[in-house]
Amino acid sequence: MKALELLKEKFPEAILGEESSAGQVSVYVKRERLLPVMRFLHAELQFDHLADLCGVDYLGWKGKNKKAERFEVVYNLYSIPQRAFLRVKVSVPEEDPWVPSVTSIWEVANWFEREVYDMLGVRFEGHPDLRRLLMPEDWEGHPLRKDYPLEIEEEWPAYQDLKQKACELSRFEWGERRLRGE
Amino acid sequence: MAPTLEVISKPCGHPEWEEPFVVNMGPQHPSTHGVLRLYLELDGENIVKCDPRIGYLHRGLEKLSENMTYTQAMVLTDRLDYISSAANNVGYCLAVEKLLGLEVPRRARLLRTIVCEMARISSHLLWLATHALDIGAMTVFLYCFRDREWLLDIYEKICGARLTVSYPRIGGVRLDFTTEIIEDLYQFTEEFPSRITDYETLIDVNRIWLKRTKGIAVISAEKAVNLGLTGPSLRGSGVPYDVRKYKPYDAYEEVEFEVPVGKSGDTYDRYRVRMEEMRQANRIIRQCLDKLSETQGEPVVAEGAPDLLMPEKRKKPQAVPHPKKGFLVKGAEVPVVPEGEVYVSIEAPKGELGYYVVSDGSGKPWRVRVRAPSFVHISAIPELIKGHMVADLIAVIGTLDVVLGECDR
Amino acid sequence: MEEILKTLMPGLILIVEALVLLLVALLHVAYTTYAERKVIGHMQQRLGPNRVGPRGLLQPIADVLKLLTKEDLVPAGADKSLFYLAPFISLVAGATSLAVIPVWEKFVLANVNVGLLVVLALSSLSSYGIILSGWASNSRYAFLGGLRASAQVISYEVAMALSLVGVMVMAGSMNLSEIVKAQTASPFKIYAIPQILGFFVFMVAAIAETNRTPFDLPEAETELVAGYFVEYSGIRFGLFYLAEYFGMVVMSAVAVTCFLGGWKGPFEVPGVPFFWFLLKLYALLFFYIWVRATLPRYRYDQLMGLGWKVLIPVSLLNIVVTGFLKVLV
């Protein structure tokens, strides 16, 4: 793996480890040194296509390959000119979940990071516009965390308001529903 | 007095005059292709600010698939890009097969390639129909639907479903093609190129069509790559990145086809690229059909592929180890996928569709992440629409070919 | 008594004539919608309406009945009086122009000497209905639609009026009956041949004036949902629809009168004196429908560009050429 060798040569202190799975190589990068590593990958090694950026929650992970921290943010990079693939990973501790934002390198990261923030609650330092993306703006909790229940016991408060409003407006309905007053 | 009248009665220079004209386009709007909502600030007809807001179709497919077995989760992928569901299935199956280390039989690979390309044609037909309708050419819409119907009928013959096919399986495909299907497909591939010519005569040299598409939403090659555009939207800018060529999967290595690229990166070039892609897809189907006769009678599911049966609902799987295949859950076998992680992408009709699957060595995926092209494309709308008008916004949404089921997941 | 009757008689006849014209025109408008759906349906490989009555012939009536029984909603915050008034302005202005159009030599309700001016004035008045409805609805889309309509109508009216100047110069009159008579006396029998430029500009401007595809920007369905009448429902919505088709009929009738020789044809059809007028009218209506099935929609700035940079110069050129010819011949 040429890119990997170059990376290790250039940033010996920032590379925490590497692993390989199903023929794909992943590199663990120190969170604080992520930006220079990514800049190097983008500018020097021509990883111009950030194929995917996502977060994984490893709470209660039972695999043999132990994870250092609860969260991992995964960058799947692809180089269109070199036809090379590289996965970069950053471990994020639960107590202080933040990662430097790579929006300044790949603009596509903007929404990916917003989604990870929305779904896992990992903050991206330096992100221009870190808002919730898929969930409503006033949502509480981060659904993709493993401790987030699949079926919620409580209703979302805004939904209750909606139902109440629908009930009030039901007197304008025609037919049976009006009689039932639902 | 109406509020509009109240504003106009204010003296010039009043702060209310300075307020931008805000239009909330969607989530219910005829041309936002689903439930896309665009927060627009307008200056007359010009767009000052555009902020797409998504999530109206968020069903939590990623969370749901964490609580299902691998075979069950495949059905969810139908609901991503419901226009080309076969391609989504194939992508997911490829990812899981890679984790399992399964070798798919050649015939199954050919069959998968055929359904993928059928999905591409039907998706591009729908795109052409709606794109033309958005710009105002109503007739193209119905012509495209006529031919799409033909493809959906073939899908129905293949697997019984028209839209959410779930035809591929982990390790192969569900059923072999009958001779009737193969004949139908031969007939389709025979006739379809002339149909494409039909559409082109309808709009290709239409002056208004050219005016509405040439020079609209131009994007340079570097910018397009940086914005993460993939598929025809990227190739319209001249980058020949096609996963089928760069990371061949299924039977794409065996077949000959070209990757059409545009030059100027405007809406018209993307339109041309997609039209050309339909021809190439037709060519691929034709070649695969010819190759099918070589593999007559071969199996279509790999040996050791996980069982198709689903465990009973709402009951905790009672793990009973099986000597070869893994757990036995209430009579059904749950495939045990070795620990590991994989990112597999395919060239879906809309762009690069990636699956990042993490397995912890049990019967359920730890994490299934879907890299949806529509998601990325919608995030690029504000960049593409810079300096354009409201009417162009429609063209931009059309040219990016977004499906909200895939965007919101 | 007889004296009174005698004095009232012309008035009564006029009223009866007006009613007949209105009824016939309404029927035409209703069946234009039917024809449009049927023709476009066949152009697009579908059937069009075919459920209500034989071959769907009762569809327009069913539509009207449906629209009449629908609830008439007024959005909160709308300017109520204007909101109620707007569709009527559109419709009345559209329908009144019919009065000056000579359907036949002996059938013209108001044979005024400024017939063309009346048509132009009323067609611009009908756009007020659109602008006002866009304003009064207090909706963003309707407002944008109203703005587009005002800009569009103003710029295309200029082109339309200029394109008719050539006809006026050639006929030497603004009375529509006189124009028809002058046409039959002219060497080509119709003005569409010597005034080919004017005819072209008039047809394009007429499509724009009636807000039809490819100039249907004020109601652009895929951009502004339904544009100026997005907030209208029930019969008020129907009135806007009616006004649009009335506009189509009136514009086609004006084109027939000014460019295609009115009620005159190559030979007389016994018993049906307005046969040729109707035939030409239907041909032009078909043209409207055909255009709609074929062309995409212009963008706002391109539409203005076409109006000011192409149509107006062309029609000015037409006037100059016509003037020279008139002087020379």
Side-chain angles (χ1 to χ4, degrees):
Chain A
M1 206 60 220
K2 193 168 151 261
L4 192 62
E5 304 300 322
L6 283 169
L7 200 62
K8 276 199 269 189
E9 203 173 289
K10 175 100 184 184
F11 301 97
E13 86 294 347
I15 307 296
L16 295 176
E18 61 185 278
E19 62 182 34
S20 159
S21 156
Q24 294 175 343
V25 181
S26 332
V27 189
Y28 279 94
V29 175
K30 215 176 187 175
R31 170 162 77 161
E32 289 76 11
R33 298 281 291 149
L34 181 72
L35 264 184
V37 170
M38 287 304 205
R39 278 224 177 82
F40 174 72
L41 281 170
H42 179 253
E44 308 286 321
L45 301 180
Q46 294 181 305
F47 279 95
D48 48 358
H49 178 49
L50 175 63
D52 193 14
L53 189 165
C54 68
V56 186
D57 181 5
Y58 282 108
L59 181 74
W61 170 255
K62 291 189 197 75
K64 293 184 195 82
N65 191 356
K66 292 282 171 272
K67 300 290 170 188
E69 304 287 354
R70 178 172 172 187
F71 298 113
E72 264 179 20
V73 175
V74 183
Y75 302 79
N76 288 304
L77 301 175
Y78 190 73
S79 159
I80 294 174
Q82 307 276 343
R83 302 199 177 196
F85 179 84
L86 182 68
R87 187 181 298 130
V88 175
K89 289 183 173 187
V90 181
S91 288
V92 185
E94 188 183 353
E95 312 81 53
D96 184 24
W98 68 268
V99 178
S101 165
V102 293
T103 32
S104 53
I105 305 167
W106 295 280
E107 274 181 71
V108 57
N110 187 332
W111 273 31
F112 282 150
E113 288 177 354
R114 271 177 73 182
E115 195 196 345
V116 175
Y117 165 72
D118 189 1
M119 289 293 147
L120 288 168
V122 176
R123 279 180 293 106
F124 286 86
E125 299 297 328
H127 189 284
D129 183 23
L130 202 62
R131 281 177 293 151
R132 279 194 180 270
L133 186 62
L134 290 170
M135 305 304 281
E137 275 133 32
D138 55 347
W139 193 264
E140 278 172 27
H142 301 282
L144 266 185
R145 288 191 176 188
K146 287 278 173 187
D147 51 5
Y148 193 89
L150 187 64
E151 281 171 60
I152 275 184
E153 290 86 28
E154 277 175 56
E155 266 176 357
W156 177 39
Y159 184 60
Q160 282 172 354
D161 293 349
L162 270 178
K163 276 211 293 198
Q164 183 146 10
K165 190 88 183 165
C167 207
E168 277 170 31
L169 291 174
S170 68
R171 62 197 169 91
F172 298 112
E173 291 271 347
W174 285 25
E176 236 180 279
R177 281 181 64 189
R178 181 182 182 181
L179 294 178
R180 278 186 281 137
E182 273 175 18
Chain B
M1 203 191 275
T4 36
L5 295 176
E6 275 168 28
V7 175
I8 212 165
S9 63
K10 302 253 159 59
C12 201
H14 190 273
E16 247 183 274
W17 279 96
E18 305 297 321
E19 271 179 27
F21 189 72
V22 175
V23 175
N24 248 319
M25 208 165 176
Q28 286 136 332
H29 186 279
S31 58
T32 49
H33 294 211
V35 284
L36 172 62
R37 175 179 158 211
L38 295 160
Y39 173 90
L40 299 177
E41 283 180 9
L42 301 182
D43 173 20
E45 290 264 329
N46 297 314
I47 292 172
V48 179
K49 189 185 163 195
C50 169
D51 182 19
R53 309 218 166 142
I54 59 168
Y56 289 88
L57 207 58
H58 182 214
R59 295 148 295 176
L61 292 188
E62 290 178 0
K63 179 87 177 170
L64 280 174
S65 43
E66 284 172 14
N67 294 278
M68 288 180 172
T69 65
Y70 284 91
T71 12
Q72 280 176 317
M74 195 200 74
V75 184
L76 295 178
T77 61
D78 275 335
R79 276 80 185 163
L80 287 171
D81 175 4
Y82 35 79
I83 293 155
S84 57
S85 50
N88 306 338
N89 298 154
V90 167
Y92 176 77
C93 292
L94 282 169
V96 180
E97 280 156 13
K98 202 156 187 187
L99 278 175
L100 279 166
L102 270 180
E103 185 68 31
V104 182
R106 174 146 183 261
R107 191 172 174 85
R109 279 189 282 142
L110 287 169
L111 293 178
R112 277 186 185 184
T113 313
I114 292 175
V115 288
C116 271
E117 292 308 305
M118 279 167 69
R120 189 179 319 279
I121 292 179
S122 79
S123 165
H124 282 2
L125 280 176
L126 191 100
W127 158 81
L128 178 65
T130 49
H131 188 36
L133 185 71
D134 289 349
I135 292 184
M138 192 168 55
T139 307
V140 188
F141 179 77
L142 285 132
Y143 274 71
C144 290
F145 264 70
R146 173 194 63 182
D147 292 343
R148 188 162 178 268
E149 200 65 17
W150 193 354
L151 272 176
L152 295 186
D153 284 345
I154 298 178
Y155 266 130
E156 198 176 353
K157 279 179 189 162
I158 292 174
C159 62
R162 286 159 57 86
L163 214 57
T164 50
V165 292
S166 283
Y167 174 62
R169 285 284 178 273
I170 297 167
V173 293
R174 183 165 154 240
L175 291 163
D176 203 347
F177 279 10
T178 58
T179 37
E180 192 198 349
I181 296 166
I182 294 175
E183 273 163 26
D184 276 0
L185 276 169
Y186 265 121
Q187 205 190 340
F188 178 83
T189 48
E190 199 66 42
E191 202 155 313
F192 188 61
S194 68
R195 298 281 173 91
I196 303 175
T197 324
D198 273 3
Y199 313 139
E200 284 174 346
T201 47
L202 278 172
I203 47 178
D204 216 17
V205 287
N206 190 317
R207 282 174 58 93
I208 303 178
W209 177 264
L210 294 181
K211 272 196 167 180
R212 287 298 303 275
T213 53
K214 281 214 162 165
I216 302 299
V218 183
I219 191 140
S220 68
E222 295 96 74
K223 189 84 182 164
V225 173
N226 201 261
L227 278 172
L229 299 186
T230 44
S233 312
L234 175 67
R235 293 194 282 275
S237 302
V239 184
Y241 175 58
D242 186 322
V243 183
R244 291 175 294 174
K245 286 276 186 203
Y246 277 63
K247 292 180 265 182
Y249 55 97
D250 280 348
Y252 285 108
E253 252 173 326
E254 301 181 30
V255 291
E256 276 177 29
F257 65 99
E258 283 152 29
V259 177
V261 287
K263 282 194 194 86
S264 46
D266 58 3
T267 304
Y268 183 75
D269 273 24
R270 287 187 281 267
Y271 152 75
R272 289 290 339 149
V273 165
R274 286 199 177 92
M275 295 305 269
E276 209 47 55
E277 238 173 49
M278 281 202 268
R279 288 210 173 87
Q280 296 299 332
N282 196 62
R283 212 174 130 199
I284 296 173
I285 295 180
R286 194 60 194 246
Q287 291 175 41
C288 288
L289 284 174
D290 290 341
K291 283 176 200 294
L292 269 187
S293 56
E294 299 167 15
T295 59
Q296 192 67 47
E298 286 178 22
V300 291
V301 183
E303 210 157 309
D307 210 317
L308 301 180
L309 292 169
M310 305 284 175
E312 265 179 58
K313 268 187 179 172
R314 299 229 163 239
K315 283 195 179 162
K316 281 201 171 157
Q318 299 164 351
V320 182
H322 182 272
K324 242 172 104 181
K325 290 177 182 168
F327 291 107
L328 274 175
V329 182
K330 287 270 170 191
E333 287 159 11
V334 176
V336 166
V337 176
E339 187 182 332
E341 58 196 347
V342 73
Y343 175 79
V344 169
S345 58
I346 61 155
E347 185 71 21
K350 309 271 186 290
E352 180 183 340
L353 175 69
Y355 286 93
Y356 175 64
V357 182
V358 180
S359 166
D360 64 343
S362 73
K364 289 176 177 178
W366 183 261
R367 173 93 163 90
V368 177
R369 151 82 184 166
V370 184
R371 188 262 188 213
S374 298
F375 179 82
V376 179
H377 289 175
I378 288 176
S379 75
I381 288 179
E383 192 60 41
L384 284 164
I385 198 63
K386 256 182 199 162
H388 283 305
M389 296 182 144
V390 180
D392 295 324
L393 183 65
I394 308 303
V396 169
I397 298 172
T399 189
L400 288 175
D401 194 10
V402 294
V403 162
L404 269 289
E406 183 180 58
C407 173
D408 293 351
R409 280 154 291 155
Chain C
M1 189 62 194
E2 265 182 28
E3 287 290 306
I4 301 168
L5 256 181
K6 238 176 208 167
T7 45
L8 281 181
M9 210 52 192
L12 279 176
I13 288 174
L14 202 65
I15 290 171
V16 170
E17 271 186 347
L19 280 177
V20 168
L21 186 70
L22 188 68
L23 266 180
V24 172
L26 270 175
L27 222 72
H28 266 82
V29 165
Y31 278 89
T32 311
T33 62
Y34 171 75
E36 170 160 41
R37 290 167 71 179
K38 219 47 183 174
V39 168
I40 289 190
H42 282 283
M43 281 175 177
Q44 297 174 342
Q45 311 204 321
R46 51 196 175 89
L47 293 171
N50 65 348
R51 292 287 123 179
V52 192
R55 292 182 168 271
L57 271 171
L58 297 178
Q59 185 68 46
I61 295 158
D63 284 346
V64 170
L65 281 179
K66 186 196 83 175
L67 285 173
L68 274 173
T69 49
K70 285 244 167 177
E71 191 182 356
D72 184 18
L73 282 170
V74 184
D79 192 326
K80 275 212 176 96
S81 48
L82 281 183
F83 188 83
Y84 284 136
L85 198 62
F88 289 104
I89 295 178
S90 269
L91 182 66
V92 169
T96 316
S97 333
L98 278 176
V100 295
I101 288 172
V103 180
W104 174 37
E105 203 171 356
K106 296 183 184 101
F107 193 97
V108 46
L109 273 188
N111 198 356
V112 286
N113 280 332
V114 286
L116 265 184
L117 275 189
V118 171
V119 169
L120 286 175
L122 286 174
S123 83
S124 50
L125 196 64
S126 77
S127 67
Y128 272 101
I130 294 173
I131 298 165
L132 284 178
S133 69
W135 172 261
S137 298
N138 190 31
S139 150
R140 305 281 159 143
Y141 290 122
F143 187 60
L144 275 175
L147 285 181
R148 282 180 174 190
S150 58
Q152 177 177 336
V153 166
I154 286 169
S155 40
Y156 277 76
E157 223 162 52
V158 181
M160 193 157 107
L162 287 175
S163 73
L164 287 172
V165 169
V167 173
M168 294 178 205
V169 171
M170 285 193 80
S173 168
M174 282 216 253
N175 184 319
L176 289 164
S177 302
E178 292 299 320
I179 289 175
V180 174
K181 280 173 193 154
Q183 272 185 74
T184 29
S186 72
F188 291 107
K189 303 286 180 206
I190 52 172
Y191 279 165
I193 298 166
Q195 288 288 322
I196 182 75
L197 281 178
F199 186 50
F200 164 73
V201 174
F202 180 83
M203 282 317 287
V204 176
I207 294 174
E209 192 81 4
T210 45
N211 303 324
R212 299 271 307 173
T213 332
F215 307 110
D216 59 342
L217 297 158
E219 52 178 274
E221 192 190 323
T222 47
E223 292 157 26
L224 302 182
V225 192
Y228 58 90
F229 61 75
V230 67
E231 300 292 348
Y232 281 85
S233 63
I235 194 61
R236 267 168 234 284
F237 170 82
L239 288 181
F240 268 122
Y241 233 79
L242 215 60
E244 186 185 323
Y245 284 88
F246 250 119
M248 260 168 79
V249 171
V250 167
M251 284 298 156
S252 305
V254 171
V256 168
T257 323
C258 291
F259 293 100
L260 296 177
W263 65 84
K264 287 276 175 26
F267 55 87
E268 289 275 317
V269 179
V272 198
F274 33 79
F275 173 79
W276 291 107
F277 181 87
L278 288 183
L279 191 72
K280 292 166 190 169
L281 184 74
Y282 295 158
L284 286 184
L285 286 176
F286 177 77
F287 171 74
Y288 263 101
I289 295 166
W290 188 16
V291 164
R292 181 171 171 206
T294 317
L295 294 180
R297 187 183 302 112
Y298 265 109
R299 206 174 64 200
Y300 174 71
D301 56 329
Q302 292 166 347
L303 170 103
M304 301 306 266
L306 182 77
W308 289 98
K309 288 184 201 150
V310 180
L311 294 185
I312 290 177
V314 164
S315 49
L316 283 174
L317 179 77
N318 182 46
I319 294 171
V320 173
V321 171
T322 316
F324 265 112
L325 286 179
K326 181 92 180 169
V327 171
L328 289 177
V329 176

